[in-house]
């Protein structure tokens, strides 16, 4: 059975942060990554936490409150700041990373996120975060931008062809969505 690499990292952290034999603390202590303890004690992985967050965000269960969805969005956003995490979950937020953008496109995420943005029954904060995710999915990735503008045209919003490498042009699309969603 292969050993979890986080356990090796926990051992390294322990050695680097131990006091000298005379009790003198190390010059600098580094914070302990919670995933290292999760490896030791069997807590959920970051991938499992991301999946749980997305389940809450997309839940249509009336018992999942808006506050719970916003907390889940915040937790998810913090987890995907690590691009390794973003790449592990194919249909989740993409942080302007080509591998993640490709997977998000393949999982048909663009139309789904546009639905959230244009849903006037959805909370403004949720719509704002959805615009952020769409922006990350389309910047510097032409196939996603083409699908985005195509989906918006189907819904009556025209932008024509937008160069995904032109940040000003992408901003025009995202700012128009902010105005539509009432988040600007």
């Amino acid at each position: 059975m292969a050993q979890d690499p986080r356990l090796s990292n926990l051992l390294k952290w322990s050695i680097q942060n131990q006091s000298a034999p005379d009790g003198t603390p190390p010059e600098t202590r580094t914070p302990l990554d919670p995933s290292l303890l999760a490896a030791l004690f069997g807590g959920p992985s970051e991938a499992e936490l991301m999946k749980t967050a997305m389940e809450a965000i997309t839940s249509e269960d009336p018992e999942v409150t808006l506050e719970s969805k916003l907390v889940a969005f915040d937790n998810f956003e913090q987890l995907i700041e690590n691009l390794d995490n973003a790449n592990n979950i194919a249909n989740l937020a993409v942080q302007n990373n080509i591998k993640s953008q490709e997977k998000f496109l393949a999982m048909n995420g663009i139309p789904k996120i546009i639905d959230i943005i244009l849903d006037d029954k959805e909370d403004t904060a949720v719509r704002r975060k959805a615009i952020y995710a769409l922006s990350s999915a389309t910047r510097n990735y032409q196939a996603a931008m083409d699908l985005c503008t195509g989906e918006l045209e189907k819904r009556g919003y025209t932008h024509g062809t937008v160069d995904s490498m032109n940040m000003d042009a992408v901003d025009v699309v995202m700012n128009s969505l902010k105005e539509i969603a009432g988040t600007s």
Side-chain angles (χ1 to χ4, degrees):
M1 182 166 98
Q3 180 178 336
D4 187 329
R6 295 177 296 175
L7 293 176
S8 294
N9 290 338
L10 181 60
L11 178 59
K12 287 177 191 174
W13 177 89
S14 174
I15 292 168
Q16 291 169 346
N17 288 278
Q18 69 184 351
S19 297
D22 66 358
T24 307
E27 289 184 26
T28 59
R29 289 189 184 257
T30 57
L32 178 61
D33 180 350
S35 72
L36 301 179
L37 289 177
L40 185 60
F41 295 111
S45 69
E46 289 183 344
E48 291 167 329
L49 292 172
M50 288 187 288
K51 184 175 181 183
T52 301
M54 281 309 295
E55 287 170 358
I57 292 165
T58 59
S59 175
E60 299 199 15
D61 183 347
E63 291 186 24
V64 178
T65 65
L66 171 62
E67 184 177 336
S68 296
K69 286 185 177 190
L70 291 174
V71 168
F73 245 130
D74 286 338
N75 291 342
F76 180 74
E77 187 175 17
Q78 289 176 6
L79 287 164
I80 63 165
E81 285 177 359
N82 176 338
L83 289 178
D84 289 334
N85 287 341
N87 286 329
N88 286 337
I89 305 296
N91 61 340
L92 302 177
V94 295
Q95 293 291 329
N96 196 14
N97 174 277
I98 191 67
K99 283 183 181 179
S100 297
Q101 288 171 312
E102 289 171 346
K103 290 175 184 175
F104 190 73
L105 183 66
M107 297 298 294
N108 205 28
I110 303 277
K112 292 174 185 172
I113 206 142
I114 289 174
D115 288 341
I116 292 170
I117 294 166
L118 299 178
D119 183 355
D120 61 357
K121 294 177 186 162
E122 190 63 71
D123 181 76
T124 302
V126 172
R127 293 168 87 183
R128 181 181 308 114
K129 289 182 185 258
I131 293 167
Y132 174 76
L134 182 64
S135 176
S136 294
T138 57
R139 287 184 190 274
N140 300 313
Y141 186 48
Q142 194 62 48
M145 180 54 75
D146 291 344
L147 180 59
C148 173
T149 56
E151 287 294 321
L152 289 171
E153 282 186 30
K154 285 182 194 176
R155 293 163 168 86
Y157 305 98
T158 59
H159 292 283
T161 302
V162 175
D163 179 357
S164 69
M165 303 289 240
N166 180 334
M167 295 305 106
D168 291 335
V170 175
D171 285 344
V172 168
V173 174
M174 297 308 142
N175 289 336
S176 71
L177 289 173
K178 288 177 186 176
E179 287 179 26
I180 292 165
T183 65
S184 58

